[in-house]
Amino acid sequence: MVMKKNPSTGRKKTATTKIQTKSHLQVTFSKRRSGIFNKASELCTLCGVEVAMIVFSPGNKVFSFGHPKVETILDRFLSAPGSKKHQLLEAHRSIYNIHELNVHLTEILNQVEAEKKHGDLLEEMRRLNQREHWWEAPIRELGLHELEQLRASMEELKKNIIAVILNGGGKVDDEFLESKAAAFIIPNGHNLLY
Amino acid sequence: MTRKKVKLAYITNDSARKSTFKKRKRGLLKKVSELSTLCGIEACAIIYSPYDSEPQVWPSPLGVQRVLARFKEMPELEQSKKMVNQESFLRQRIAKANEQLKKQRKDNREKEMTQVMFHSLMSTATGKGLQNLSIMDLNDLGWLIDQNLKEIYIRVDKLNKEPLNPPPPPPPTDDHGLMPRTSSSVDNHVQPDHHQMNMETMHRQRWFMDLMNPQEHMGFVGDEMMLPFADYNHNALWSTAFFP
């Protein structure tokens, strides 16, 4: 069996054999590969150790991660211990930059998480509204009569929007106005609101 | 309580750093082994730490030699194409995270505007509610309505072409809002709703500008959505000044 579900620890999958379907395998490879490089990077940052990893892809391409650099670790592993001094110098120089990048990355990931929560909240409110208001249902579920009413109301709202914009209504955000000031003059003065 | 997020910085406390190293090293090597089994690929890991004179390796010293040999045989270009160090790796992740953030914000903006749209449809104070929307909101709202109207027309055409299925009972009209009273004519197992269409750029300042002077941007190379009213003019009802 491909995946033995481990009941005691919930969702955890125990990898026992190769994935059969090609697409599933490729997706798994790319996700886990970047996850592993991330874990390696965290290990280097947290513990100040040096790591090199080489991973061949199902398509026989090769991915590699190295801190401070792949070559230096491989040389060190393959050749005599002589090259130790050179690495330390290099590791020191890049530490400052890495810290900055780590901080920056953490910041963005936190923002992504906050936006995701916000999105979920909006989604939830949407579901509540859909239960109460038939017109918020997907258009493909509405019948002719409902569609007609929704159309009429939407067009009415659209007219109101035009009216509000034309009367210079709506909270003005300057950056928008500056760039489009001239456009507010109606070329032919035609009455728009039919 | 969820696990506390670890601060991504060098752990100064020696014992904490050592125990973190032990745990995370084991986790990392386990993940490499899982990846290798799951995807049937070759991989290796080499870790030099102050805690061991010998490097910690996966799968084994011999296994590493074999993978390194295969790696060294590959052309120089292939070796370095997907080679990263910590700095380049982090920069890549930052770029991806920024992309993700941008997309998430766009989706949320769309959801918010959809909510504003349905709210504005409902409120009887037709003009008033719109006053406190910014020009940009009004523009996006207008654009969103256009998309929905387009879909309504398509749906109406489709239904008109299927005379067989009986039209659902008309929902009773309610007295105060623009919209008829809520009714259960729509069963509530609502699938993911497509009012939130995929919009490239939600901030369509252009919507109102296109409305005002459609000729000016006729040559506009932008996508078809930039020419409102042009493509669903078949409905005789729709007669405004902008219509040739």
Side-chain angles (χ1 to χ4, degrees):
Chain A
M1 193 174 59
V2 173
M3 229 53 93
K4 180 168 71 59
K5 186 151 184 328
N6 184 336
S8 64
T9 56
R11 229 172 66 77
K12 211 147 131 264
K13 289 183 206 155
T14 324
T16 48
T17 51
K18 187 177 171 190
I19 295 172
Q20 301 312 318
T21 40
K22 200 165 186 314
S23 60
H24 179 203
L25 184 141
Q26 265 150 3
V27 168
T28 303
F29 175 80
S30 67
K31 279 192 181 154
R32 281 178 172 255
R33 197 269 317 159
S34 70
I36 286 173
F37 279 15
N38 183 42
K39 287 286 180 195
S41 169
E42 286 177 353
L43 188 64
C44 298
T45 300
L46 293 169
C47 307
V49 295
E50 294 178 356
V51 172
M53 306 194 71
I54 297 180
V55 177
F56 283 92
S57 76
N60 291 320
K61 298 253 178 330
V62 68
F63 292 78
S64 57
F65 170 91
H67 173 68
K69 251 172 56 176
V70 173
E71 293 89 355
T72 43
I73 306 281
L74 299 193
D75 293 347
R76 182 173 172 190
F77 181 80
L78 293 172
S79 66
S83 57
K84 192 116 185 53
K85 281 181 293 324
H86 147 72
Q87 282 156 24
L88 279 182
L89 174 67
E90 192 164 332
H92 184 69
R93 201 172 58 245
S94 72
I95 289 293
Y96 173 73
N97 204 337
I98 305 289
H99 175 66
E100 214 182 280
L101 291 173
N102 270 322
V103 168
H104 188 33
L105 178 61
T106 310
E107 234 169 70
I108 298 175
L109 291 176
N110 291 343
Q111 283 173 35
V112 170
E113 215 180 298
E115 287 289 343
K116 270 213 180 93
K117 279 208 187 74
H118 180 47
D120 295 345
L121 182 71
L122 289 168
E123 200 61 43
E124 192 42 40
M125 285 156 79
R126 178 106 189 81
R127 260 192 296 280
L128 290 177
N129 287 340
Q130 279 180 334
R131 260 200 292 282
E132 278 163 40
H133 312 139
W134 63 265
W135 59 85
E136 294 202 34
I139 288 177
R140 65 179 178 282
E141 286 179 10
L142 298 178
L144 270 175
H145 186 76
E146 292 163 327
L147 287 169
E148 177 43 34
Q149 286 194 289
L150 186 56
R151 185 196 62 74
S153 297
M154 282 198 172
E155 282 181 5
E156 185 61 30
L157 175 58
K158 187 168 162 180
K159 275 187 226 150
N160 297 329
I161 293 176
I162 296 175
V164 169
I165 295 182
L166 281 181
N167 304 339
K171 270 202 286 100
V172 176
D173 43 31
D174 316 328
E175 148 262 323
F176 175 79
L177 260 187
E178 275 134 29
S179 62
K180 298 284 186 313
F184 275 92
I185 307 133
I186 315 288
N188 47 27
H190 222 303
N191 181 341
L192 308 174
L193 306 177
Y194 287 93
Chain B
M1 240 297 280
T2 56
R3 192 193 314 228
K4 191 181 156 307
K5 274 241 165 70
V6 73
K7 192 166 165 301
L8 260 182
Y10 182 72
I11 300 171
T12 44
N13 174 304
D14 291 344
S15 62
R17 184 174 65 247
K18 188 170 183 182
S19 85
T20 301
F21 173 67
K22 278 218 163 24
K23 284 190 208 124
R24 280 180 168 259
K25 180 196 68 176
R26 203 179 316 117
L28 180 64
L29 297 182
K30 182 165 182 287
K31 279 201 178 290
V32 181
S33 140
E34 281 180 351
L35 177 65
S36 171
T37 314
L38 276 173
C39 302
I41 47 101
E42 274 191 322
C44 75
I46 306 168
I47 305 174
Y48 283 96
S49 80
Y51 309 118
D52 295 283
S53 56
E54 282 311 309
Q56 315 258 266
V57 292
W58 186 92
S60 64
L62 199 62
V64 171
Q65 299 276 6
R66 211 175 47 253
V67 172
L68 291 193
R70 180 177 172 195
F71 178 73
K72 295 273 182 190
E73 271 157 26
M74 297 182 77
E76 191 65 36
L77 182 66
E78 280 307 311
Q79 285 179 23
S80 54
K81 204 190 261 177
K82 299 276 182 185
M83 180 183 286
V84 289
N85 62 17
Q86 221 184 352
E87 188 181 344
S88 48
F89 177 72
L90 287 174
R91 286 193 194 288
Q92 275 171 16
R93 278 210 67 203
I94 286 171
K96 256 188 236 153
N98 269 323
E99 243 0 271
Q100 211 184 345
L101 184 60
K102 224 169 63 187
K103 188 185 172 310
Q104 190 67 45
R105 281 195 174 137
K106 183 178 75 64
D107 287 354
N108 287 358
R109 166 76 177 166
E110 192 180 304
K111 285 180 182 142
E112 270 155 15
M113 290 316 295
T114 302
Q115 202 171 52
V116 167
M117 176 179 77
F118 283 121
H119 179 69
S120 318
L121 278 181
M122 230 171 41
S123 61
T124 46
T126 43
K128 239 188 258 105
L130 299 174
Q131 289 303 348
N132 44 35
L133 288 180
S134 75
I135 297 273
M136 211 165 69
D137 290 343
L138 289 171
N139 254 286
D140 288 348
L141 198 50
W143 188 86
L144 191 59
I145 289 177
D146 270 351
Q147 303 315 306
N148 279 280
L149 283 172
K150 235 182 248 176
E151 230 164 294
I152 292 176
Y153 287 118
I154 294 165
R155 171 79 178 155
V156 166
D157 284 350
K158 191 161 154 293
L159 288 176
N160 285 338
K161 290 195 185 70
E162 294 160 3
L164 300 170
N165 61 359
T173 329
D174 85 357
D175 27 41
H176 55 85
L178 277 172
M179 298 310 295
R181 205 156 25 80
T182 59
S183 76
S184 59
S185 63
V186 173
D187 43 40
N188 42 34
H189 66 278
V190 183
Q191 303 96 346
D193 144 57
H194 64 272
H195 277 301
Q196 287 122 30
M197 274 74 58
N198 173 7
M199 302 185 189
E200 299 79 28
T201 48
M202 184 67 201
H203 298 293
R204 295 268 184 198
Q205 266 85 342
R206 291 307 304 256
W207 174 72
F208 181 72
M209 291 312 112
D210 300 338
L211 206 60
M212 286 299 117
N213 25 51
Q215 315 76 8
E216 165 251 323
H217 63 78
M218 270 311 168
F220 184 74
V221 157
D223 52 36
E224 158 268 307
M225 268 190 269
M226 302 301 279
L227 298 174
F229 319 132
D231 48 8
Y232 53 88
N233 56 7
H234 57 277
N235 181 330
L237 236 157
W238 189 254
S239 56
T240 69
F242 312 105
F243 223 72

